[in-house]
């Protein structure tokens, strides 16, 4: 059986990953007009349409790798026999024969006619997928539990050092496929990663006290990626990855462009489900107010620099810490297919924001942190 996949690219803002992550697969194709499928096969068409467009960065990121959040370059198609409740993997095919025109992508594969079957697809799949992984007979629940390594040293590109597209997963409903009978299916295609964008604005570069920013590091980034989306609906009370240092890594700090008056950075993460902490104000969102037992596994950024209070004065090292999540008080989660953004402003004391910010070595700073579909902005009190 042949399956044709089409992916619509929509550029309007939306909340999901990258401001737009979830691809809703809509069954809107009519019967195929391809050549007849081989004996023992049948033809199926599948339409994938983006639920919303990616939220674009305000400008090019200093650490931009050229990763394309929308592109589909290859796909593994897994066919499950659903004659049992758990399902069993019975056929697979990998293809790089991707046909993309504007916002739509199409590919063809041949699968088996079955009375009850479900199709699972992995787009831009890491090299771990093969003719033997996942193994024949793997159940759907076992597939959901499998993980893939995140080996990128920088977080952009992702999940590997030379990956310039994002892993995505789609899954159809359970259907009947008959030999030689064209069919249409619906499914969903979702990015498995989260995106985080950071804007730094330094308003002290031509006055004193003067802050010189030197590097930005990311700490406690998960080093495994779930084969199933990790979302608030599936993991509100389930921690992923497990609370073990072996499942986390630090990205190489970024130094390029950090000394500029304004800079934007972007990273990608495997999802990190850590829960809700106890802080009620941004100033209190720390390791101490993280969810019980999770402080060592929450993702955070460190902004390093130095402050010079007078032209001939000594420079004092300073570090600013921001714990990531859906807000800047108590949320420590990073979900699949979601986009997060933090904006940090550094300024001299006695500005109009001074009462709302913290102060370090005479330089005040304030920040906002949001999950971009929430559209909620709050500042330190």
């Amino acid at each position: 059986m042949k399956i044709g996949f089409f992916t619509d690219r929509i550029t309007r803002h939306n909340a999901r990953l990258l401001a737009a992550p979830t691809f809703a697969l809509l069954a809107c194709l009519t019967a195929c007009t391809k050549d007849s499928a081989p004996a023992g096969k049948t033809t199926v068409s599948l339409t994938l349409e983006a639920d919303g467009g990616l939220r674009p960065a305000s400008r090019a990121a200093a650490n931009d790798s050229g990763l394309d959040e929308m592109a589909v370059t290859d796909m593994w198609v897994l066919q499950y026999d659903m004659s049992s409740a758990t399902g069993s993997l019975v056929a697979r095919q990998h293809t790089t024969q991707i046909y993309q025109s504007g916002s739509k992508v199409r590919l063809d594969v041949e699968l088996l006619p079955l009375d009850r079957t479900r199709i699972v697809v992995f787009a831009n799949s890491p090299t771990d997928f093969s003719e033997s992984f996942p193994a024949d007979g793997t159940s759907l629940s076992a597939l959901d539990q499998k993980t893939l390594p995140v080996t990128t040293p920088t977080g952009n590109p992702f999940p590997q050092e030379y990956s310039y597209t994002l892993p995505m997963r789609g899954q159809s409903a359970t259907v009947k496929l008959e030999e030689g009978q064209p069919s249409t299916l619906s499914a969903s295609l979702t990015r498995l990663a989260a995106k985080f964008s950071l804007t730094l604005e330094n308003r002290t570069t031509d006055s004193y006290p003067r802050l010189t920013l030197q590097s930005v590091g990311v700490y406690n980034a998960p080093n495994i990626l779930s084969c199933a989306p990790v979302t608030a609906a599936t993991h509100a009370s389930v921690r992923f990855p497990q609370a073990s240092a072996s499942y986390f890594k630090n990205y190489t700090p970024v130094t390029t462009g950090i000394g500029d008056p304004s800079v934007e950075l972007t990273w990608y993460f495997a999802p990190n489900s850590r829960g809700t902490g106890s802080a009620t104000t941004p100033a209190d969102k720390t390791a101490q107010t993280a969810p019980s037992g999770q402080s060592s596994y929450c993702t955070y950024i460190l902004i390093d620099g130095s402050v010079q209070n007078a032209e001939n004065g000594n420079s004092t090292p300073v570090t600013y810490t921001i714990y990531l999540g859906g807000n800047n008080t108590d949320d420590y989660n990073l979900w699949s297919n979601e986009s997060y953004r933090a904006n940090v402003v550094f300024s001299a004391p006695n500005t109009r924001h001074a009462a709302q910010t913290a102060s370090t070595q005479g330089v005040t700073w304030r920040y906002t942190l949001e999950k971009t579909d929430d559209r909620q902005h709050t500042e330190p009190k």
Side-chain angles (χ1 to χ4, degrees):
M1 121 185 137
K2 291 189 177 181
I3 299 183
F5 289 92
F6 301 76
T7 304
D8 254 359
R9 182 181 307 182
I10 299 178
T11 57
R12 65 179 175 80
H13 292 342
N14 191 304
R16 295 241 171 256
L17 164 72
L18 327 145
T22 297
F23 281 84
L25 286 152
L26 305 179
C28 58
L29 266 191
T30 56
C32 300
T33 58
K34 308 180 185 63
D35 297 337
S36 299
K41 306 290 184 179
T42 191
T43 301
V44 175
S45 292
L46 188 66
T47 296
L48 299 79
E49 184 174 353
D51 168 47
L54 301 185
R55 182 186 179 97
S58 58
R59 58 186 181 280
N63 63 336
D64 181 32
S65 66
L67 184 148
D68 189 335
E69 299 165 347
M70 295 296 295
V72 175
T73 59
D74 76 288
M75 193 171 293
W76 276 96
V77 180
L78 309 181
Q79 184 178 19
Y80 276 78
D81 182 349
M82 299 303 296
S83 57
S84 65
T86 58
S88 178
L89 179 60
V90 294
R92 76 190 74 208
Q93 186 172 336
H94 178 255
T95 182
T96 58
Q97 298 300 309
I98 305 294
Y99 307 97
Q100 185 164 8
S101 176
S103 64
K104 292 190 176 183
V105 171
R106 176 169 181 153
L107 63 88
D108 295 328
V109 294
E110 295 177 357
L111 298 175
L112 303 173
L114 292 171
D115 286 342
R116 290 178 54 83
T117 190
R118 188 175 300 177
I119 311 304
V120 180
V121 298
F122 285 90
N124 306 323
S125 52
T127 56
D128 301 74
F129 278 81
S130 67
E131 292 298 332
S132 59
F133 179 89
D136 290 345
T138 298
S139 67
L140 277 173
S141 60
L143 177 66
D144 291 345
Q145 296 300 314
K146 291 187 178 299
T147 60
L148 304 169
V150 175
T151 60
T152 173
T154 62
N156 190 352
F158 180 94
Q160 299 168 338
E161 185 173 4
Y162 300 105
S163 300
Y164 297 104
T165 55
L166 292 176
M168 308 178 194
R169 171 172 165 163
Q171 182 168 303
S172 75
T174 299
V175 297
K176 179 178 182 178
L177 299 180
E178 298 183 73
E179 181 176 350
Q181 297 297 314
S183 304
T184 61
L185 295 178
S186 64
S188 63
L189 185 61
T190 302
R191 294 174 185 83
L192 297 177
K195 177 183 181 179
F196 174 67
S197 298
L198 172 68
T199 299
L200 300 176
E201 184 177 351
N202 186 358
R203 298 177 180 175
T204 74
T205 56
D206 57 359
S207 61
Y208 293 95
R210 178 173 298 174
L211 170 66
T212 301
L213 296 177
Q214 297 163 342
S215 67
V216 181
V218 174
Y219 296 82
N220 290 345
N223 64 15
I224 57 172
L225 180 69
S226 173
C227 283
V230 175
T231 67
T234 61
H235 285 73
S237 60
V238 178
R239 304 286 74 87
F240 179 90
Q242 296 178 22
S244 168
S246 63
Y247 295 126
F248 295 86
K249 65 185 297 179
N250 302 328
Y251 288 159
T252 302
V254 178
T255 58
T256 302
I258 301 303
D260 296 344
S262 182
V263 63
E264 176 141 342
L265 303 170
T266 297
W267 295 272
Y268 299 90
F269 300 102
N272 191 5
S273 170
R274 304 269 61 99
T276 302
S278 58
T280 57
T281 66
D284 293 332
K285 189 177 185 183
T286 65
Q288 287 68 44
T289 57
S292 178
Q294 303 302 316
S295 62
S296 296
Y297 314 108
C298 298
T299 305
Y300 64 97
I301 62 172
L302 289 183
I303 305 168
D304 288 320
S306 62
V307 173
Q308 186 178 15
N309 282 287
E311 184 174 357
N312 297 317
N314 294 326
S315 295
T316 303
V318 292
T319 298
Y320 305 90
T321 304
I322 298 177
Y323 278 84
L324 306 189
N327 60 39
N328 58 358
T329 53
D330 62 356
D331 188 290
Y332 289 78
N333 301 299
L334 296 171
W335 301 122
S336 301
N337 216 34
E338 296 285 3
S339 182
Y340 301 82
R341 169 172 291 278
N343 297 283
V344 185
V345 177
F346 301 95
S347 58
N350 302 319
T351 64
R352 65 186 181 89
H353 293 294
Q356 298 178 330
T357 63
S359 179
T360 303
Q361 294 295 321
V363 174
T364 60
W365 71 296
R366 61 188 174 91
Y367 77 95
T368 63
L369 176 63
E370 62 172 345
K371 182 159 65 73
T372 53
D373 52 333
D374 289 344
R375 302 289 192 266
Q376 296 175 347
H377 293 73
T378 55
E379 295 185 347
K381 302 296 184 182

